[in-house]
Amino acid sequence: MSLFLKSLKELPPFGQALGMVLDEADSEPGVAVLLPGAEHLSGHADDGVFHTGVILATIDNTAGWCIRDHRDYAEGTSMATLDLRVDFVNPASLSETLRVRAVCEGFDGDIAFVRATAETTTTKVLIATGQATFMLGTPSTPNPATASKVVGGAVE
Amino acid sequence: MNKLDQAGWAMLNLDLAQQQLMKMPYAGFLGVELRVGPEGLETITVDRADLIGNTNLPALHGGVIGSLLDITGLLTLVFLKSLDNAPRLVDMDIDYLRSGQARPTYGRAEIVRGGRRIANVRALLWQDDPERPIAIGRLQFLLPKAKV
């Protein structure tokens, strides 16, 4: 985990509302986020499992963070999710805490590719896998890492 | 079906969808509400400070958008197929088309194919104009086992 993420404690409001916590003890590649079960995250009152949307939201958040943690990321560059696919492999009981890990697989100029998994922390059951693509920078505020390469013009 | 039958059918199935919504604490937390519009079932979700992902823009969290597609798809399936039990989401694929502003978000869905075990659903969300969706989703649901 980079120095940047170690200093990052500020969750987006929705991450805070769900109860996401950065897993600072994690030493494996990428970024890991913990999500303890809670009543408002329940998908079905009778079943006591995490709602699929909650798992998806945590994957989305962690995927974004692992890009900001990447060595090629220029701090402050805006980031937009282009697409996200999630496979819900197993339901997860709310008595568990989820660990979502996201790894940036590739960084090609303004596009970043991420893979993520969600598993239960005690039983280590695979809950979901995800795959996301992100776009860095906007036309008005380009990604500083690629801004000098003008498309169709002279490369400075 | 004549108009009166159709209205009665919509009310009955709206009730089924409402029941599933009430059994879903997470949807309650997001503040999802239902109505039947000219195009069928619609979800409405009012923006709130704790649904924001990017405070600078501000924009709805991508996870909120994904969750609303999920919930809209599931409840539309309950509505259109008169289900008593909730289907289970197998996988979904979201295209984020525009950033979600801090304003009410509307959703609707259609069944692309409804089989006996699996239903393929397409869901979309919009804010100002249904012709300019902020996100679309492709969702696969496992249907509850039919009562024997």
Side-chain angles (χ1 to χ4, degrees):
Chain A
M1 205 173 278
S2 74
L3 280 175
F4 161 69
L5 259 190
K6 278 187 182 150
S7 67
L8 178 87
K9 296 280 161 52
E10 207 177 303
L11 280 158
F14 188 63
Q16 225 162 36
L18 293 193
M20 294 180 201
V21 188
L22 180 68
D23 187 0
E24 292 182 85
D26 187 74
S27 57
E28 287 181 45
V31 169
V33 166
L34 297 172
L35 185 73
E39 182 45 39
H40 70 296
L41 309 182
S42 171
H44 200 287
D46 304 339
D47 294 354
V49 294
F50 280 87
H51 192 282
T52 42
V54 171
I55 301 166
L56 180 149
T58 312
I59 287 179
D60 181 70
N61 205 91
T62 313
W65 270 3
C66 90
I67 293 171
R68 296 175 67 179
D69 192 45
H70 196 275
R71 60 190 141 74
D72 291 345
Y73 174 80
E75 182 46 31
T77 309
S78 73
M79 210 166 48
T81 319
L82 291 179
D83 65 43
L84 169 63
R85 175 189 163 106
V86 181
D87 290 342
F88 299 98
V89 182
N90 278 300
S93 162
L94 286 172
S95 63
E96 280 277 357
T97 292
L98 293 185
R99 178 183 284 111
V100 172
R101 178 185 312 287
V103 178
C104 183
E105 299 263 292
F107 217 97
D108 179 23
D110 290 340
I111 306 287
F113 302 88
V114 176
R115 274 173 200 274
T117 55
E119 62 171 27
T120 52
T121 48
T122 53
T123 50
K124 309 279 184 213
V125 173
L126 180 67
I127 301 303
T129 62
Q131 206 176 330
T133 314
F134 289 83
M135 175 89 196
L136 301 179
T138 63
S140 53
T141 53
N143 175 13
T146 56
S148 58
K149 295 172 196 159
V150 180
V151 177
V155 176
E156 288 167 48
Chain B
M1 230 191 290
N2 66 37
K3 261 202 175 137
L4 207 63
D5 284 352
Q6 213 162 19
W9 176 88
M11 288 316 291
L12 270 175
N13 288 298
L14 175 60
D15 196 47
L16 285 175
Q18 292 279 18
Q19 283 174 31
Q20 286 305 327
L21 178 60
M22 284 187 325
K23 284 187 197 161
M24 211 190 291
Y26 178 58
F29 160 70
L30 294 175
V32 177
E33 290 185 25
L34 289 176
R35 71 175 181 205
V36 176
E39 308 264 352
L41 190 75
E42 284 179 8
T43 59
I44 308 119
T45 311
V46 175
D47 57 294
R48 221 169 53 202
D50 62 355
L51 301 185
I52 297 300
N54 181 329
T55 44
N56 295 331
L57 292 175
L60 291 180
H61 195 281
V64 172
I65 292 174
S67 298
L68 293 181
L69 286 169
D70 175 348
I71 293 164
T72 302
L74 184 142
L75 294 176
T76 302
L77 206 47
V78 169
F79 177 78
L80 291 175
K81 289 183 83 85
S82 313
L83 301 178
D84 291 318
N85 291 305
R88 185 167 93 80
L89 182 61
V90 176
D91 64 58
M92 74 182 288
D93 198 336
I94 310 159
D95 289 341
Y96 294 94
L97 305 176
R98 297 175 174 85
S99 87
Q101 319 270 317
R103 51 193 295 187
T105 305
Y106 304 88
R108 66 174 178 238
E110 59 178 10
I111 301 176
V112 177
R113 180 176 180 273
R116 267 179 301 177
R117 301 171 67 199
I118 295 283
N120 306 72
V121 173
R122 217 178 91 94
L124 68 91
L125 300 178
W126 76 93
Q127 292 187 320
D128 48 347
D129 178 359
E131 300 298 314
R132 290 168 47 85
I134 60 165
I136 51 176
R138 240 170 16 84
L139 304 93
Q140 261 67 241
F141 285 96
L142 187 64
L143 296 170
K145 289 210 170 65
K147 283 181 199 138
V148 189

